[in-house]
Amino acid sequence: MQELKILPPINAKVGDIFEISIPSNPASTGYNCLLSEMPHCVYFVESTYVPDEPIKPGSGGVSKFKFLAVKKGEGKIIYHSVRFSHPPEILEPTVMQQRFVIVNQ
């Protein structure tokens, strides 16, 4: 059995803005990386997709998500890969799609 690598927690202070980057390839795979869970101590600010350079058909990129730490607390930030078909296809989160955040004063 292969051991899962766990990413270290994100430590932030109230007022900090932090970013999570996740490898993504929506044009080729048809799956979009969507935020599905976040703790009460952070607010979602924005998301962007940055394609790899040089841009070629089928090449991937990075989905970037910005958050604002608003109060002391901790919890999971989880993403799912979703393909908008009928019915939608939702994949279980990968290691890269699961992060733990700790916000201190």
Side-chain angles (χ1 to χ4, degrees):
M1 178 190 256
Q2 188 177 27
E3 187 177 322
L4 280 180
K5 180 180 176 185
I6 297 174
L7 297 174
I10 296 167
N11 290 289
K13 292 183 179 168
V14 172
D16 285 353
I17 292 176
F18 62 92
E19 184 174 270
I20 297 174
S21 297
I22 300 175
S24 186
N25 193 348
S28 178
T29 65
Y31 285 94
N32 290 286
C33 185
L34 301 179
L35 175 63
S36 57
E37 183 180 324
M38 65 183 201
H40 66 280
C41 58
V42 299
Y43 287 169
F44 172 72
V45 176
E46 69 178 357
S47 68
T48 56
Y49 176 75
V50 180
D52 291 339
E53 296 287 339
I55 299 172
K56 296 185 274 185
S59 66
V62 177
S63 293
K64 295 184 177 194
F65 299 85
K66 283 187 184 177
F67 297 89
L68 171 65
V70 293
K71 61 182 172 180
K72 186 176 179 177
E74 60 184 41
K76 293 179 185 178
I77 298 176
I78 298 177
Y79 305 87
H80 280 85
S81 294
V82 178
R83 181 184 291 169
F84 294 101
S85 55
H86 187 69
E89 293 179 46
I90 303 171
L91 303 180
E92 287 299 311
T94 65
V95 172
M96 292 295 294
Q97 293 174 318
Q98 301 176 70
R99 297 300 303 267
F100 194 82
V101 63
I102 301 168
V103 178
N104 293 302
Q105 295 285 356

